[in-house]
Amino acid sequence: MGKKNEFRPDTHRQDFLGKLLLTRKQRQTVLRWTLYALVCLLALLVQDVIMSRILIFDTTTELVPCFILAICVLQGVESGCVFTLVASLIYYFSGSAPGIWCVPVLTTLAVVATIFRQAYLRQGLLTLLLCVSVSMVLYELSNFGIGLFLNLTYPARLKAFLLTAVLTMAALPVMYPILMSIGKIGGETWKE
């Protein structure tokens, strides 16, 4: 009679992530960026379905660019700016973006804000609000300038563009704890 095996063979995972042979940290990193993408898609959904119907002083919010900028500033230059480029491309192809210029404008503003924050400011909610607020104002001014150049808007709408930036910033303190919780998955890239 044959002798029973003393050792059991290794169990193999049959799910998708098990076949990729990722380490635990790599799986957590994939989870973090997937959750960030879902937050941006949720912001896009809320913006298009709910906020586009609510007008405050004849303006509405721009949630998606705000969250894209905030995620980049939170995650740092290396990975955050790649996310910004991909997310702004998806934002443009969703049909909600004002135009193709949002891709280079968002990416450039995100890079500059992130580098400035990492080089000169301390980490925290106030510095995040400062960097994202300035970036959002510059984003809206860029939209206004390009729209004015292309005859898509008129000069009297400048106040509406600036009010859009201010209204958008009201959503960031609400989302800050969620963005921070997601950012801690898989290890922090920059201590917040």
Side-chain angles (χ1 to χ4, degrees), residues 63-80:
L63 296 177
V64 180
C66 178
F67 288 162
I68 290 173
L69 289 167
I71 290 168
C72 181
V73 171
L74 281 173
Q75 288 302 308
V77 176
E78 296 84 15
S79 55

Side-chain angles (χ1 to χ4, degrees), residues 35-112:
L35 290 175
Y36 274 144
L38 289 175
V39 164
C40 286
L41 286 175
L42 180 65
L44 182 65
L45 182 70
V46 168
Q47 178 65 43
D48 285 348
V49 174
I50 299 170
M51 297 308 292
S52 64
R53 298 177 190 273
I54 300 173
L55 294 178
I56 303 169
F57 300 113
D58 200 29
T59 62
T60 187
T61 58
E62 288 273 356
L63 296 177
V64 180
C66 178
F67 288 162
I68 290 173
L69 289 167
I71 290 168
C72 181
V73 171
L74 281 173
Q75 288 302 308
V77 176
E78 296 84 15
S79 55
C81 292
V82 173
F83 176 80
T84 301
L85 179 62
V86 172
S88 60
L89 279 169
I90 292 170
Y91 176 54
Y92 168 68
F93 285 117
S94 73
S96 297
I100 188 66
W101 61 83
C102 76
V103 176
V105 169
L106 271 175
T107 305
T108 303
L109 289 173
V111 169
V112 171

